[in-house]
Amino acid sequence: MNASSRGKGRWWRPRSLRTQLLLWLITLHLGAAVLTAWFSFVAYGNLVHNALDDQMRLVAESYAGSDPQKLPRPMDGEAAFSRGAFIVQIWSPDGGTLRATSWPVLTVPLQPQPGFSDVNTGTHAGSAWRVFTAEHGSRADQPRVQVLQNEDYRRRRALRRALLEGLPITLLLPLALLILWIIVSAASRSLRAVARDVASQDERSPTELSLARVPDEIAPLVSAFNNLLSRVRSAFATQRRFVQDAAHELRTPMAAIGLQIENLRAHVPAGEATERFNQLEAGVTRAQHLIEQLLHLSRQDAPRAGNANERVDIEVLLRDSVSQLMVLADARRVDVGFEGSIAAVVVAPAAELRSVFDNLIDNALRYAPEGGVVDVKLHKVEGHAVVDVLDNGPGIPKEAIDRVFDRFFRVPGAAAGGSGLGLAIARTAAERHGLRIELRNRTDGPGLMARVHLPASAA
Ligand code: ADP
């Protein structure tokens, strides 16, 4: 899937699985709730109607069969509309005259067909009536009875009953959705945890992702990823071993060539031959330097080693580094100065810290002009401990300053003798132990300032 089609997505199919799941489940739940409400309304409506019809029939029969004739108790409209009271009409046996009624205001004639019917007395609300007309009695003089009930009242009662029955579902719905939300969120949380695990991997020594809290459905994916990681790990190891072995194998013959060249010097005739000989010697020295840097690089790429809890006094370390590089300084007649105005301690393997400062001071000595000046300063800048390595060489062109940390990158036209690996090695070691290297061309004259910011805990 390319970036543009990933970005768009269709409105009806969101890219988030969680949103998709929730949208579908909410729609299904709401659909189910509406259907259930409708069914329960119809079912309970019928139930209430049938029960009320039965009551009407019983009342009508009790009046029709009474001897002497029972007369209906008078009532008012309020009872008919809000309490649904039955209105009883007693008609003459031929159905022509209304003899008695519980509410004379209501003028519904005796229905020709016995049984249940629906009658409307107008178009306003409350004008629909349910009517039960009792059958002719067995005696000819037996009066006819008709019972009426307000239809609106019956509908309200059915609705109330249906609502009451639907209440548990209505309450359960948000609760079910909340539980769904929690379950889906938990699942996506575990996915995010896996992603965090992957993101925090050390690219040099990736470790297996834990399957402990991964849902069953995602476990195969994580296992496959672990498999891939282990292959990446072994590929890294193979590559590292190759560089290490190659550099190692080259070191001994190169050292032998170096010795041979040194022995040969006395026998080289003066003149052009000496000049060629010097070039040869410089070439061998460069090759030896490259081999050393490659060895260093492959060791650095190996999973972390060394005593990480070592407390290293930076001043002592810098003095050691400067004095070891004095040979190079002397060879190039560079004046090296060290100035330490604060005490600083960094907790890290000393060898790794040495590789940071050795590479920076080595560069300063190599790129400073013959007879130049290099200063190493341990001091505080804006309250933070820093080490500055200053030289008066050509500096680095602005456009190359970000690239000089890349492996094998050399500024075009830079002095011969380098491998392009020194700054890459220095930066990797620095970043591992909370140090930061900043390169800046000097503003007070020609040259480069390499500033190492020590961790806040150093001073
Ligand atoms: P190299 O072995 O070539 O010095 P580095 O990684 O140490 O490799 O440096 C990369 C490049 O950065 C060098 O080739 C050089 O062009 C430039 N550089 C590094 N330090 C300095 C410096 N002090 N002055 C000028 N250029 C520098």
Side-chain angles (χ1 to χ4, degrees):
M1 192 181 274
N2 63 32
S4 65
S5 71
R6 272 173 61 81
K8 277 178 201 154
R10 304 210 182 114
W11 65 268
W12 48 268
R13 197 169 4 139
R15 285 199 31 238
S16 153
L17 269 181
R18 177 165 65 162
T19 316
Q20 260 186 57
L21 253 176
L22 282 173
L23 274 182
W24 277 110
L25 288 173
I26 288 173
T27 314
L28 280 177
H29 264 76
L30 287 179
V34 169
L35 267 180
T36 314
W38 189 73
F39 272 123
S40 77
F41 181 72
V42 171
Y44 285 108
N46 281 340
L47 202 79
V48 169
H49 273 283
N50 290 341
L52 289 173
D53 277 358
D54 284 348
Q55 278 181 31
M56 281 173 85
R57 188 201 300 271
L58 283 176
V59 169
E61 280 167 1
S62 87
Y63 276 89
S66 63
D67 191 16
Q69 181 61 53
K70 206 162 64 168
L71 285 179
R73 225 180 306 141
M75 54 178 260
D76 55 9
E78 207 268 326
F81 289 116
S82 60
R83 282 193 283 114
F86 295 131
I87 296 148
V88 181
Q89 295 176 334
I90 311 285
W91 294 79
S92 56
D94 61 357
T97 333
L98 179 64
R99 285 188 183 161
T101 171
S102 34
W103 191 38
V105 178
L106 184 67
T107 53
V108 173
L110 185 71
Q111 300 301 300
Q113 289 295 327
F116 286 100
S117 52
D118 295 304
V119 173
N120 254 308
T121 54
T123 50
H124 56 280
S127 60
W129 298 87
R130 181 76 171 158
V131 182
F132 178 74
T133 314
E135 304 216 1
H136 284 277
S138 47
R139 297 189 324 268
D141 63 336
Q142 204 168 330
R144 302 287 308 277
V145 177
Q146 184 165 261
V147 179
L148 302 99
Q149 190 177 30
N150 188 256
E151 196 67 74
D152 261 6
Y153 165 80
R154 292 162 65 99
R155 222 174 283 140
R156 279 202 308 276
R157 194 143 152 202
L159 183 68
R160 209 177 315 143
R161 184 67 199 263
L163 283 181
L164 219 61
E165 297 296 333
L167 195 67
I169 297 178
T170 319
L171 291 181
L172 218 65
L173 186 71
L175 191 71
L177 288 179
L178 181 75
I179 292 172
L180 266 175
W181 172 263
I182 292 172
I183 292 173
V184 175
S185 296
S188 70
R189 228 190 343 267
S190 63
L191 268 181
R192 277 201 298 276
V194 173
R196 258 201 311 278
D197 243 18
V198 174
S200 65
Q201 290 282 325
D202 175 3
E203 74 276 15
R204 288 190 186 80
S205 58
T207 49
E208 290 221 331
L209 304 175
S210 156
L211 280 165
R213 286 176 52 218
V214 172
D216 284 354
E217 290 77 5
I218 304 164
L221 180 72
V222 176
S223 302
F225 197 78
N226 275 341
N227 205 332
L228 179 71
L229 281 183
S230 89
R231 274 183 283 154
V232 167
R233 214 169 23 235
S234 79
F236 262 133
T238 311
Q239 183 212 34
R240 199 165 47 232
R241 223 172 304 122
F242 175 76
V243 175
Q244 205 160 10
D245 290 352
H248 218 270
E249 288 301 309
L250 281 170
R251 190 148 71 162
T252 320
M254 217 27 116
I257 294 172
L259 276 177
Q260 299 280 11
I261 283 185
E262 237 178 271
N263 294 339
L264 211 65
R265 177 170 285 285
H267 309 287
V268 176
E272 200 190 339
T274 308
E275 206 175 298
R276 292 274 166 87
F277 183 82
N278 284 346
Q279 279 172 8
L280 179 67
E281 192 179 29
V284 170
T285 312
R286 192 162 65 241
Q288 282 178 327
H289 179 67
L290 176 62
I291 290 168
E292 288 306 317
Q293 294 287 57
L294 278 176
L295 264 179
H296 206 119
L297 199 70
S298 61
R299 267 187 232 120
Q300 198 173 43
D301 279 351
R304 281 148 207 212
N307 180 6
N309 291 331
E310 225 172 316
R311 290 174 59 82
V312 181
D313 184 328
I314 297 297
E315 181 173 344
V316 174
L317 184 112
L318 288 172
R319 282 189 194 285
D320 271 2
S321 182
V322 169
S323 69
Q324 201 192 319
L325 289 166
M326 217 37 126
V327 188
L328 177 60
D330 288 343
R332 307 204 61 239
R333 291 184 295 105
V334 173
D335 176 17
V336 192
F338 173 74
E339 194 184 309
S341 58
I342 57 165
V345 172
V346 173
V347 181
E352 297 251 307
L353 293 179
R354 263 304 280 274
S355 88
V356 175
F357 297 110
D358 280 358
N359 276 299
L360 295 178
I361 299 171
D362 181 77
N363 277 354
L365 291 174
R366 280 189 297 117
Y367 295 105
E370 285 248 355
V373 183
V374 168
D375 282 315
V376 180
K377 287 186 191 165
L378 168 62
H379 62 139
K380 259 190 181 174
V381 171
E382 292 167 359
H384 297 289
V386 297
V387 176
D388 287 344
V389 180
L390 302 136
D391 62 57
N392 61 345
I396 300 176
K398 234 199 217 109
E399 59 279 9
I401 215 150
D402 288 331
R403 297 199 52 205
V404 290
F405 289 103
D406 295 347
R407 287 180 177 182
F408 296 108
F409 177 81
R410 305 204 67 223
V411 175
S419 61
L421 290 174
L423 287 177
I425 292 172
R427 171 136 97 178
T428 307
E431 282 179 352
R432 268 191 192 178
H433 303 292
L435 285 71
R436 185 167 62 83
I437 303 176
E438 178 195 1
L439 297 182
R440 241 194 258 172
N441 286 314
R442 291 173 71 169
T443 48
D444 55 348
L448 186 79
M449 176 182 83
R451 172 165 285 175
V452 181
H453 298 262
L454 299 182
S457 57

